[in-house]
């Protein structure tokens, strides 16, 4: 006879951004397959909500970008931390799963550990770039650290912290995509017959306003293409209306489909740069912050030669990064021309193949779920 073990674990998950919502949802799906009686309470977004459980707070109410924005919203952030602690104490989960979002999550890790709750960190904060001293907090208050970038395992080992490299969860998300019909996608979204240049300006209002104007400044030089903005789920459709015209279109919540139908993309620095590469779309990476925020970040970030995950993982320039004053119309036009055809495009696509190999194949969510259940 065979018996089925029902684990009946209560999971509390905190993801504070759109990318965390994606990875958190795939992790929840993997945990549900291994723990049939699992219960979830979480901070995240719509994708996690689809997996079931109780959504405590949406990441749209949590995401503040840059030093100035954080300072302006400090009271809200502190109130959220206070509420989160009270909620954890009230519901007494078996395990707390933290997804990146370090400024918030490391405070909660310390609190939960003192309550005797097992603390798991899934998707490490980028401590190798800045605030390296936070490793000591992880060493003291985190029971299991799971990393998704191959070089992070060595980083933690140097600091006396054992970690699991589980692979990158984006490979899971992308491997589940069905084949797409480009002509059908264009017809369904009111696009014309021209080839597409995708614009990924970010997910926060402040960020999108800065980036879209610059990205769209290249239009006069590429009249044979149509430009399509990837709308962020955190922003309403009305926000983008002023940018749309006969040759600038907008799609919402279809970023992967848009990219797969595109010839190339202009992408704001962040997780989207890696998503674009894994979907095999040549890209130019863009970033411009406020002068004050950028000056502070430059002082704090050390030993890092690149800002995009693609270049960081490969440890050389695969995609061009246009940062601050280098992000201008002239440079954008020149770099975009290079990746629409010719040697630069071919080399980039070849490097993307090596990138996928470095990230260890699919199965990150399943691997992470196994580690959590062993805890």
């Amino acid at each position: 006879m065979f018996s089925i073990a029902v684990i009946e674990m209560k999971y509390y998950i905190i993801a504070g951004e759109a990318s965390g919502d994606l990875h958190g949802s795939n992790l929840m799906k993997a945990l549900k397959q291994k723990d049939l009686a699992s219960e979830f309470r979480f901070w995240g977004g719509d994708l996690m909500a689809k997996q079931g459980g109780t959504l405590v707070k949406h990441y749209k109410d949590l995401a503040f970008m840059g030093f100035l924005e954080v300072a302006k919203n400090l009271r809200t952030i502190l109130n959220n931390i206070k509420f989160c602690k009270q909620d954890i104490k009230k519901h007494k989960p078996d395990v707390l799963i933290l997804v990146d979002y370090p400024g918030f999550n490391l405070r909660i890790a310390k609190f939960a550990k003192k309550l005797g709750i097992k603390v798991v960190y899934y998707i490490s904060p980028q401590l190798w770039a800045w605030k390296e001293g936070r490793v000591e907090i992880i060493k003291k208050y985190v029971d299991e650290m799971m990393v998704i970038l191959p070089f992070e395992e060595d980083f933690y080992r140097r600091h006396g912290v054992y970690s699991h490299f589980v692979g990158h969860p984006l490979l899971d998300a992308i491997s589940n995509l069905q084949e797409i019909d480009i002509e059908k996608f264009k017809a369904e979204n009111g696009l014309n017959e021209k080839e597409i240049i995708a614009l990924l300006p970010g997910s926060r209002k402040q960020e999108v306003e800065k980036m879209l104007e610059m990205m769209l400044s290249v239009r006069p030089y590429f009249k044979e293409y149509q430009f399509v903005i990837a709308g962020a789920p955190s922003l309403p459709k009305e926000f983008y209306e002023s940018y749309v015209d006969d040759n600038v279109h907008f799609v919402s919540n279809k970023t992967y489909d848009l990219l797969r139908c595109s010839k190339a993309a202009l992408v704001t620095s962040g997780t989207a740069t890696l998503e674009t590469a894994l979907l095999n779309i040549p890209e130019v990476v863009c970033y411009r912050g406020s002068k004050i925020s950028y000056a502070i970040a430059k002082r704090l970030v050390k030993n890092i030669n690149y800002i995009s995950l693609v270049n960081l993982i490969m440890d050389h320039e695969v995609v061009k990064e246009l940062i601050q004053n280098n992000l201008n119309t002239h440079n954008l036009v020149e770099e975009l021309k290079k990746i629409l055809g010719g040697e630069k495009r071919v080399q980039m696509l070849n490097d993307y193949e090596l990138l996928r190999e470095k990230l260890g194949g699919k199965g990150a969510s399943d691997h992470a779920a196994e580690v959590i259940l062993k805890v």
Side-chain angles (χ1 to χ4, degrees), residues 160-282:
V161 176
Y162 177 75
S163 64
H164 290 86
F165 172 57
V166 295
H168 204 291
L170 279 179
L171 290 169
D172 293 349
I174 287 168
S175 69
N176 292 329
L177 296 174
Q178 296 179 343
E179 192 172 343
I180 192 163
D181 183 326
I182 295 177
E183 296 310 313
K184 184 180 178 183
F185 176 84
K186 286 181 177 179
E188 289 176 346
N189 292 280
L191 307 181
N192 59 47
E193 72 285 352
K194 294 179 181 178
E195 288 191 296
I196 296 169
I197 295 174
L199 306 179
L200 278 64
S203 60
R204 303 176 182 94
K205 182 180 177 183
Q206 178 190 37
E207 179 181 49
V208 174
E209 287 173 336
K210 275 183 183 172
M211 302 309 300
L212 258 184
E213 187 177 347
M214 177 53 64
M215 289 177 172
L216 287 170
S217 70
V218 307
R219 280 182 299 167
Y221 303 89
F222 300 95
K223 292 180 180 178
E224 67 274 32
Y225 293 91
Q226 60 183 317
F227 292 82
V228 185
I229 302 165
S234 56
L235 295 172
K237 182 180 179 180
E238 296 74 30
F239 171 78
Y240 296 93
E241 286 179 351
S242 63
Y243 299 101
V244 174
D245 60 28
D246 291 342
N247 207 38
V248 178
H249 306 275
F250 163 82
V251 298
S252 184
N253 295 323
K254 298 177 183 176
T255 302
Y256 282 8
D257 287 349
L258 169 61
L259 283 169
R260 290 190 294 158
C261 294
S262 299
K263 181 78 171 179
L266 303 181
V267 186
T268 297
S269 178
T271 306
T273 62
L274 183 57
E275 292 172 310
T276 304
L278 294 177
L279 288 167
N280 223 34
I281 306 303

Side-chain angles (χ1 to χ4, degrees), residues 6 52 66 75 80 103 191 223 316 325:
V6 180
R75 178 174 290 183
N80 282 335
L191 307 181
K223 292 180 180 178
H316 71 267
N325 293 334

Side-chain angles (χ1 to χ4, degrees), residues 33 46 65 70 76 100 120 129-130 177 187 234 318 329:
Q33 291 171 349
D46 300 340
M65 184 189 79
V70 168
T76 300
D100 199 1
V120 174
W130 71 318
L177 296 174
S234 56
V318 174
T329 302

Side-chain angles (χ1 to χ4, degrees), residues 320-335:
K320 185 66 178 181
E321 299 176 353
L322 296 178
I323 306 169
Q324 292 299 97
N325 293 334
N326 287 328
L327 178 60
N328 56 55
T329 302
H330 172 78
N331 288 343
L332 268 179
V333 169
E334 292 303 306
E335 295 304 326

